[in-house]
Amino acid sequence: MHCIKKITDDLTWVGANDRRLAMFEGVYSVPGGVSYNSYLLDDEKTVLFDTVDKAVHNRFLENLAAALQGKKLDYLVVQHMEPDHSIVICDLMAKYPKMKLVCNEKTMELMKQFYSIETDSRVCLVNEGDTLDTGKHTLHFVMAPMVHWPEVMVTYDSTDKILFSADAFGCFGALNGALFADEVDFARDYMDEARRYYTNIVGKYGTQVESLLDKASALDIETVCPLHGFVWRKNISTLISKYALWSSYAPEENGVMIAYASVYGNTENAAELLACKLRDKGIRTVMYDVSVTPASDIVSEAFKWSHMVFASTTYNAGIFVTMEALISDLAAHNIQNRTVAIIENGSWAPTSGALIREKLEECRNMNILDSKVSISSSLKTAQLEDINAMAEAIAATFPGLPSPVKLEEAAPPPDSIDPMAMFKFSYGLFVLTARDGDKDNGCIINTAIQMTEKPLRISIAVNKANFTCEMIQKTGEFNVSILDESAPFSIFQTFGFQSGRDADKFDGYRFNARAANGIRYLPENTGGVISGKVKDSYDYGTHILFIADVTQAFILSEVPSLTYRYYFDHVKPKPQAQKEKKEGFVCRICGHVYEGETLPDDYICPLCKHGADDFEKL
Ligand code: FEO
């Protein structure tokens, strides 16, 4: 029986899930399964975006037939030729003899390589910026070479503002009834799998991903349809901001990932002691036994954390086998911009430390600490000094880590008031909205708290200069939209950086959601909404403190609430030095990047062996 899901009136998901696959691409464990997404656009012309893996191809054909409802299939857009999305092409060509293939030149080349089929008479070749009108919809084709293969392109439906993103924005994990990312707790349950998918599938190609992000930033996107994982129709910035981070190889978190290979537990012991010392200094640590944890998980963690420690025994006069594989894997995925420390063990000729260093020195911008621990069989008491020294050396690279203070030194002068101490409060951030007649308005506040449970009351403090404050004083009612961590900076620009006296802050806002009190709230980027009816108010000079009865309260998302700290660390743009513009040339065939001001005329791409003519300036 077919199993399909509607995305919009015209677009249907016709993909399928595989929960039996043990290893995706033969290397990546997928304990939660994987989805193969395919989408049917039902317009005057019918258009299918990609197909599925052979494991689920029967279900897919049923789905497609059901979604077509007896219509013929006019176009198959082939965005990616990897067989988990293309293997059904031959079946579809036979089943729908009038169907045209929409693809680029590189796709055609790969199609012939994989399937030995004659496609020329059935192909509509497209290039960057070409469009296809299907009736109501216009499709725009955008090339995305090496996100993940050289032929990859994505498609933008400008009518419904949908980006068909191929491998970009994908995720491991079967879709268990939910199709949209907002139907699940993505941050809690899927973000790690999205990172693992990104880092292992396209982690090597950060430059090419950045180029796609640049192109996507020029598009007005309301929905993202990837080839694996959930469809995004809300809070798209959550994943886009992660991609911006991952593609630049910037760590997400400050902390140390310790990966160790230990045959008899002695190397593990040293790694564990180091972890304890680091924790004592307030540094977060995670630990992985590389013989137990799959490499794809550790690669993903390496992209997450700012520091890495590798602890390995020496084996056959080299690095222990699983550690050697991990280090090669990390280098192959282009890991860079990390601080690293190395622990080695060797009972008669320790070599693993020097060999690990050698391999990591080939990666970009690695700060490999000189501090080293070399164990002969097992750690001796005297070597605790080396462990301490390594912990000190690592701690010295964490800016802002408080140096340990003795209690008597910590006692402050009795009359001291350090205004910075106020920032130790864990504030949330909220959009406070009010309505006066036809006028809707809102502002940003950071002081909303529950005061009592029975009766259920909250308090808010609002700056008197805010127009919203004036409106609440007049009407006695308001809503508090509790922002969550998906909130983009634009919300703060809209509601915080202009006055409702001069501007309509809701102008262009795509939702007109109102609570029972008739006042607007933000249905997106919001964890919950509280409506208040003012009971008392107190004038405290610059601010009015309102005490209000709660008249309505509801939850909108499970994304963690936004704190002031999170806003400064992750939402507010940091003043940046001009982004380093890489000088170089990218191979149009395979995406290899040559760095340098000029490309030698006789340059041959080391990957695909095409010549300088096939390179273009970055
Ligand atoms: Fe499932 Fe590169 O594709």
Side-chain angles (χ1 to χ4, degrees):
M1 174 73 183
H2 65 268
C3 178
I4 59 181
K5 282 209 143 192
K6 275 274 184 198
I7 296 170
T8 64
D9 286 346
D10 302 339
L11 189 68
T12 305
W13 176 84
V14 292
N17 295 292
D18 184 357
R19 296 179 188 81
R20 286 194 165 184
L21 182 69
M23 301 300 269
F24 182 78
E25 292 187 6
V27 261
Y28 308 120
S29 56
V30 277
V34 65
S35 76
Y36 301 101
N37 298 338
S38 171
Y39 305 94
L40 181 74
L41 180 67
D42 184 7
D43 200 357
E44 284 168 32
K45 298 286 182 191
T46 54
V47 185
L48 183 70
F49 294 89
D50 298 296
T51 70
V52 298
D53 189 68
K54 62 176 179 303
V56 292
H57 117 280
N58 284 347
R59 176 58 36 78
F60 162 73
L61 290 175
E62 270 186 280
N63 286 350
L64 178 59
L68 279 168
Q69 296 178 315
K71 288 188 185 174
K72 62 186 172 42
L73 182 58
D74 295 305
Y75 294 107
L76 169 62
V77 177
V78 185
Q79 302 190 115
H80 186 15
M81 266 305 295
E82 201 165 3
D84 58 332
H85 308 291
S86 68
I87 201 150
V88 195
I89 290 177
C90 304
D91 288 359
L92 291 183
M93 287 178 75
K95 192 165 179 189
Y96 302 101
K98 297 252 168 74
M99 178 192 83
K100 294 274 186 199
L101 296 165
V102 181
C103 64
N104 59 50
E105 212 155 337
K106 187 72 193 164
T107 311
M108 247 179 102
E109 197 182 310
L110 287 174
M111 213 178 292
K112 287 174 186 165
Q113 277 177 216
F114 270 103
Y115 304 124
S116 309
I117 43 173
E118 194 289 304
T119 55
D120 294 11
S121 60
R122 305 212 21 201
V123 160
C124 303
L125 272 189
V126 291
N127 284 306
E128 177 79 27
D130 285 352
T131 59
L132 174 68
D133 283 317
T134 60
K136 198 170 117 193
H137 295 258
T138 304
L139 305 177
H140 303 250
F141 300 103
V142 178
M143 301 302 129
M146 296 321 290
V147 183
H148 161 217
W149 278 19
E151 85 296 358
V152 170
M153 64 181 197
V154 301
T155 310
Y156 177 62
D157 173 356
S158 55
T159 309
D160 279 351
K161 300 180 178 172
I162 298 173
L163 181 70
F164 297 93
S165 63
D167 271 352
F169 309 116
C171 185
F172 289 134
L175 305 174
N176 302 323
L179 175 61
F180 299 100
D182 56 274
E183 294 178 280
V184 298
D185 188 337
F186 192 89
R188 187 191 65 195
D189 298 333
Y190 290 94
M191 189 57 88
D192 285 346
E193 283 299 78
R195 184 189 305 102
R196 192 164 71 89
Y197 175 86
Y198 171 86
T199 52
N200 286 283
I201 304 298
V202 286
K204 180 180 177 61
Y205 304 108
T207 306
Q208 290 84 351
V209 173
E210 283 182 334
S211 156
L212 177 59
L213 290 175
D214 275 352
K215 290 178 182 180
S217 67
L219 304 173
D220 183 7
I221 299 168
E222 287 185 359
T223 306
V224 175
C225 294
L227 287 177
H228 297 289
F230 296 100
V231 170
W232 288 77
R233 62 181 173 185
K234 286 185 184 174
N235 305 329
I236 296 169
S237 60
T238 309
L239 198 55
I240 290 185
S241 58
K242 289 286 184 191
Y243 264 58
L245 208 56
W246 296 334
S247 60
S248 67
Y249 303 96
E252 276 174 88
E253 304 279 352
N254 281 327
V256 183
M257 181 200 80
I258 302 176
Y260 66 88
S262 186
V263 180
Y264 296 109
N266 292 313
T267 312
E268 178 188 30
N269 176 236
E272 210 131 37
L273 282 163
L274 177 68
C276 292
K277 296 288 174 200
L278 292 171
R279 280 280 169 180
D280 289 348
K281 293 176 184 302
I283 297 170
R284 286 185 293 168
T285 49
V286 291
M287 294 186 72
Y288 298 100
D289 183 329
V290 300
S291 299
V292 175
T293 305
S296 68
D297 291 65
I298 306 180
V299 168
S300 175
E301 287 291 278
F303 271 69
K304 179 175 175 180
W305 296 99
S306 58
H307 290 58
M308 302 187 291
V309 172
F310 299 100
S312 178
T313 189
T314 301
Y315 206 70
N316 289 332
I319 307 168
F320 186 75
V321 55
T322 48
M323 180 62 84
E324 184 163 34
L326 172 68
I327 302 281
S328 300
D329 216 9
L330 285 169
H333 284 88
N334 230 344
I335 190 74
Q336 49 192 275
N337 303 334
R338 297 294 187 273
T339 298
V340 177
I342 300 166
I343 297 173
E344 71 175 357
N345 195 351
S347 293
W348 54 93
T351 58
S352 55
L355 293 170
I356 290 173
R357 172 178 279 272
E358 208 174 282
K359 281 176 178 269
L360 291 175
E361 275 170 351
E362 287 168 19
C363 302
R364 282 165 156 241
N365 198 21
M366 292 299 226
N367 175 23
I368 305 176
L369 300 177
D370 290 331
S371 175
K372 172 178 150 185
V373 176
S374 185
I375 308 163
S376 298
S377 303
S378 65
L379 198 72
K380 305 295 179 296
T381 311
Q383 281 186 298
L384 282 176
E385 276 315 304
D386 295 342
I387 297 281
N388 283 337
M390 182 173 276
E392 290 292 343
I394 292 172
T397 64
F398 278 86
L401 202 66
S403 46
V405 283
K406 296 195 183 82
L407 274 180
E408 61 275 17
E409 285 173 6
D415 56 353
S416 69
I417 292 182
D418 182 346
M420 297 312 286
M422 298 300 143
F423 287 100
K424 294 294 178 187
F425 280 121
S426 55
Y427 299 97
L429 281 163
F430 316 93
V431 174
L432 174 71
T433 43
R435 181 186 195 184
D436 182 10
D438 290 338
K439 176 73 176 170
D440 292 306
N441 194 35
C443 66
I444 301 284
I445 61 169
N446 64 353
T447 46
I449 55 166
Q450 179 183 346
M451 291 191 69
T452 56
E453 191 184 351
K454 286 188 183 145
L456 188 55
R457 279 191 186 138
I458 61 170
S459 75
I460 54 170
V462 193
N463 193 309
K464 280 156 76 174
N466 283 341
F467 187 40
T468 314
C469 183
E470 208 176 299
M471 291 168 80
I472 296 172
Q473 283 180 295
K474 187 172 167 197
T475 63
E477 287 192 287
F478 61 83
N479 288 337
V480 176
S481 296
I482 304 168
L483 295 174
D484 67 30
E485 288 181 359
S486 70
F489 186 60
S490 57
I491 286 187
F492 297 90
Q493 292 172 302
T494 303
F495 291 100
F497 297 178
Q498 55 182 345
S499 170
R501 291 189 181 85
D502 320 316
D504 176 0
K505 296 188 183 183
F506 283 98
D507 186 24
Y509 190 66
R510 61 192 179 124
F511 299 105
N512 183 16
R514 292 180 187 274
N517 59 11
I519 299 172
R520 295 182 78 145
Y521 65 88
L522 270 57
E524 195 173 40
N525 314 115
T526 296
V529 177
I530 315 277
S531 299
K533 195 168 180 56
V534 175
K535 179 100 178 110
D536 287 303
S537 63
Y538 301 91
D539 188 331
Y540 286 107
T542 56
H543 287 65
I544 302 282
L545 179 70
F546 294 102
I547 312 295
D549 286 327
V550 173
T551 56
Q552 192 182 12
F554 49 94
I555 289 174
L556 288 174
S557 91
E558 295 304 328
V559 178
S561 295
L562 182 67
T563 62
Y564 213 54
R565 176 64 187 260
Y566 189 93
Y567 167 76
F568 276 106
D569 287 350
H570 300 282
V571 181
K572 188 170 185 230
K574 306 216 171 6
Q576 287 191 359
Q578 194 68 22
K579 192 175 170 192
E580 185 203 343
K581 176 86 180 140
K582 288 195 187 97
E583 283 273 18
F585 299 81
V586 61
C587 174
R588 275 188 271 117
I589 309 300
C590 73
H592 170 73
V593 174
Y594 171 89
E595 287 186 24
E597 276 178 34
T598 51
L599 180 73
D601 291 343
D602 58 353
Y603 186 73
I604 303 289
C605 175
L607 295 184
C608 67
K609 310 299 178 207
H610 280 242
D613 287 353
D614 284 318
F615 278 73
E616 61 192 16
K617 213 163 175 19
L618 276 175

